[in-house]
Amino acid sequence: MQRRILTLIFCFVIFFPATPAKEVPSIYVDKKGVMRWEDTREEASFFGVNYTLPFAHAYRAMGYLNVDRKAAIDRDVYHFARLGFNAYRIHIWDVEISDIEGNLIENDHLDLLDWLIYKLKERDIHIILTAMTNFGNGYPERNQPTGGFSYAYDKCEIHTNPEAIRAQERYIASLAMHVNPYTGKAYKDDPSVVGFEINNEPCHTGTQQQTRDYINRMLAALRKTGNRKPLFYNVSHNMQQIEAYYATGIQGTTYQWYPVGLVSGYARKGNFLPYVDDYHIPFSHVKGFENKARLVYEYDPADIMYSYMHPAMARTFRTAGFQWITQFAYDPMDMAWANTEYQTHFLNLAYTPQKAISMKIAAEVAYSVPRGQSYGTYPADTLFADFAVSYSQDMSMMNTKEKYFYSNHTSTPPVDAVTLKSIAGYGNSPIVQYEGTGAYFIDRLEEGVWRLEVMPDAVPVSDPFAKPSLHKEVVTIAWNNWDMTLRLPALQDDFEVRGINEGNRYSTQAVGGVIPALGPGVYILQRQGYVSLLQWDADTPWNNIRLGEYVAPQPRAQTYTVFHQAAAVTESGKPLVIEAQIAGSAFPDSVWIYTDRISFWSDNNPRYPMERIHGYTYRAIIPGEVVTQGKFRYTIIVSRDGNPTTFPAGISGTPLDWDYASPMYWETRVVNETSAISLYSATRENSRIETYTMPEWSRVHRELIDTCPETRPVQRFICESDDENPRFFLRSYVKEEIALRTKRLGKSNTLCVSLQNAPDSLNIGFVTNTGYTYAAKIAVNEKSVYRIPLSELQQTATALLPHPYPVFLKKYFDPVVPIPFRPEDIELLEISFDGRKNEKAIIEIGDVWLE
């Protein structure tokens, strides 16, 4: 007995030493521009996020919502740890912690930054501080007056005005010397602070000498404080200043990447992998380039909900030599339900579980893919090292002997299920069968003991990239219980399950690998008959967490939400499948569909039941005889305890109530199966055309011309640019126009366009789900209708629209692997034509169709 006690004590000491954690090593930049750990001299690699809760709108929103800000920070930093991040960056809103002379003000904002750094250190997450933003704190609200020095100067003037420069010297020195009361260390002395970036996206409009002088004065101000940390500067703005940046004493250079633009106002769709195939830096030949470290201060595939992009971008960053990669920006969990902080970005473990898992995979890419390693050109680089990305499956994956991570349902088995140590995923896989819609983490503590963490379900209820409001929920959270089946050799088929997070009293015996009615929380899984020498409980430390830690939002919705997009078009006489995401505080008793053809006065009002097919997805099949030519209009009624609610209006009751008066319906166009496939119509309300210009800026005016009964209406586009040799593009997402017309599509061989007025020549064609573009050039003459055989469409370069940021990146993807055009792959209609500087280019389009 005494020997067993001694063994237990020995094991506990090995796994959980009582001595304090070793001091965190600092980072330095060697002579070749490589960031290295000071103790081992090994190359460093960082991946993580920006996160702004101590400042600006996020700070104010926590006040509006009456949320304890430090507790909110604690919650989010725990999720950073679960996602495997080791990096954090913030551009500090200097206007909120400084006065007009640049003196540092120790207020609540600075205290929260101190607290955040303290909490990041606890999780072994490293920090880069961007000292100044030099702009206001309002977005998406109005700027708030603070008295900070940046408000006294224009953003471009602030780098040349002598008084402004003196204020910045005073401020940046004070910031570096500020002692964090929670760590006891000044920022300049804290090894978890990797270094300082001088300011966020500077605006240098003066001479190169002025730029060098400004940067060198900032560097000198920091040196006088005794700072020895690396200092970084943004080089992805103000291209005319490139040589000036590299002629200073900075140790590193910072870049951003927004490959599909920003603030579209809606969720973008399509295959954007060609957009992130390459990060070409055209000034890599500049003297000094090679001996500066390369950092990504901000990046994001904005305005999309897909989960395949982050690992692909991390791969490309590593190929381009980056060692620090931080996304912008992670939404605080306590306000992520509304996505108001930056509507164009949306990332949170609880509310965007698939994107979050893809971020965990991207972190592994950053840590394991060698710097400078190339994996070829798209589509070859969708499989690289231990990783895969797929647009068609909306999935990213990491698959090694020890780690098996996936962002969506997959049939790909793990490399070796016996040697697995860590699983993170969403949906179903050969290892996990799970109907819930939250992320989960399964980690081996020892051979027969595992930790399972399950997040609550996230259900989209509106477009998160539309106009933001704290009165509007974009994703709702639901706490429901689902069976989970695990096929882990280390656990075998039968194992014990016990909840260990606070308040979790769940306890059961899994049989055949099935854990019944599992709710959100943290669980210890122990193989039946396995005897552990250790006590695994809620307070046991493991890696950078405690086993019982658990953070998840509670449900907000008190009523039902229905998220549904009607089919754009279908064919008469064919059954119509209608699916919707329906969530609420409990599952509804019944869901059904009424068409607009019912009547309070009729005794024959057929309704079509919607059945739950998985998760929160409900489906109904409308019989073909009901789907007749014209418009098919319908409502969805959700009922619980005899209380129905009708959508899309979201009002109590049903359309058969005598006083129901809502005019709102979902609507699908119904056409004859032999009719041509309409891709665009000037008068159709949901025909959306996006306008773009290469190289970058333009003015586009559009209007509907419908003045003569003898001619069909047209949309007139008047395009004008200040750039030399501009090229204008019109694009429309038309996949929904062909989705339910597969038979007619198979018989179509001609692309037709009706033009009333246009440039002398233009290109017209399609972008497909491969991300490739196929187009034909047509000469415009007196004819109003042009017919282009699909066989004449040629594979060509894909314009990366909207144009990426930074502006020096390539604007076209030139494919090297030929892929034949297939009509069933069509996603975007594209029309493009050349213009001249400051001259108006006019095109008038009536209809576009396939016949």
Side-chain angles (χ1 to χ4, degrees), residues 622-634:
I622 308 300
E625 60 267 22
V626 178
V627 184
T628 56
Q629 198 163 335
K631 293 180 179 180
F632 181 78
R633 304 201 307 165
Y634 57 95

Side-chain angles (χ1 to χ4, degrees), residues 265-268 303-305 331 336-347 351-352 355 460-469 472-475 563:
Y266 54 89
R268 297 183 59 81
D303 295 324
I304 64 175
M305 287 295 285
D331 289 88
W337 52 271
N339 192 33
T340 61
E341 187 183 23
Y342 292 96
Q343 72 179 81
T344 196
H345 309 290
F346 192 31
L347 175 67
Y351 289 91
T352 65
K355 290 177 75 172
V461 295
S462 66
D463 190 332
F465 307 113
K467 184 175 176 60
S469 170
K472 179 185 71 173
E473 195 173 36
V474 298
V475 174
F563 190 46

Side-chain angles (χ1 to χ4, degrees), residues 382-399:
T382 57
L383 299 173
F384 59 99
D386 298 315
F387 305 92
V389 292
S390 170
Y391 165 64
S392 62
Q393 300 175 64
D394 183 21
M395 187 185 68
S396 45
M397 170 176 276
M398 177 184 190
N399 196 354

Side-chain angles (χ1 to χ4, degrees), residues 200 244 280 455 526 550 614 621-622 667 695 705 735 844:
N200 182 74
H280 175 69
M455 293 296 291
Q526 187 160 331
Y550 184 69
H614 61 78
I621 300 177
I622 308 300
E667 182 178 292
I705 307 300
K735 182 177 180 179
E844 296 174 345

Side-chain angles (χ1 to χ4, degrees), residues 824-839:
E824 59 265 38
D825 295 338
I826 291 172
E827 291 198 337
L828 291 166
L829 169 70
E830 179 179 282
I831 299 173
S832 63
F833 49 93
D834 292 325
R836 293 186 178 90
K837 182 178 180 179
N838 295 327
E839 290 187 10

Side-chain angles (χ1 to χ4, degrees), residues 571 672-679 737-738 741-752 766 788-793 821-824 826 849-851:
E571 294 174 346
N672 187 283
E673 66 176 356
T674 62
S675 65
I677 297 177
S678 175
L679 301 177
E737 299 292 336
I738 68 173
R741 306 208 61 197
T742 54
K743 185 176 179 179
R744 182 65 181 87
L745 185 66
K747 296 179 179 180
S748 300
N749 55 26
T750 306
L751 170 62
C752 307
F766 301 104
I788 303 99
L790 296 183
S791 59
E792 293 184 4
L793 300 181
F821 170 73
R822 302 192 314 163
E824 59 265 38
I826 291 172
W849 68 96
L850 289 171
E851 63 179 28

Side-chain angles (χ1 to χ4, degrees), residues 594-606 655-657:
Y594 276 141
T595 73
D596 65 342
R597 300 165 194 173
I598 63 170
S599 168
F600 168 75
W601 301 104
S602 174
D603 294 327
N604 182 21
N605 290 302
L656 286 179
D657 294 340

Side-chain angles (χ1 to χ4, degrees), residues 344-472:
T344 196
H345 309 290
F346 192 31
L347 175 67
N348 179 273
L349 174 56
Y351 289 91
T352 65
Q354 293 176 271
K355 290 177 75 172
I357 293 296
S358 79
M359 282 286 288
K360 184 174 179 67
I361 296 167
E364 297 290 340
V365 173
Y367 307 148
S368 62
V369 165
R371 183 170 53 90
Q373 178 69 52
S374 175
Y375 295 92
T377 301
Y378 172 82
D381 57 9
T382 57
L383 299 173
F384 59 99
D386 298 315
F387 305 92
V389 292
S390 170
Y391 165 64
S392 62
Q393 300 175 64
D394 183 21
M395 187 185 68
S396 45
M397 170 176 276
M398 177 184 190
N399 196 354
T400 72
K401 287 188 174 182
E402 295 189 348
K403 296 179 179 180
Y404 182 54
F405 303 157
Y406 46 91
S407 67
N408 209 344
H409 306 289
T410 180
S411 59
T412 303
V415 170
D416 188 345
V418 174
T419 59
L420 278 179
K421 292 184 177 179
S422 183
I423 301 163
Y426 174 97
N428 298 323
S429 75
I431 292 291
V432 181
Q433 295 292 302
Y434 182 60
E435 198 173 347
T437 59
Y440 49 79
F441 305 86
I442 310 169
D443 296 288
R444 190 175 79 176
L445 305 179
E446 56 176 302
E447 181 191 356
V449 183
W450 293 64
R451 179 186 188 269
L452 168 64
E453 181 173 356
V454 180
M455 293 296 291
D457 300 331
V459 186
V461 295
S462 66
D463 190 332
F465 307 113
K467 184 175 176 60
S469 170
L470 283 171
H471 301 291
K472 179 185 71 173

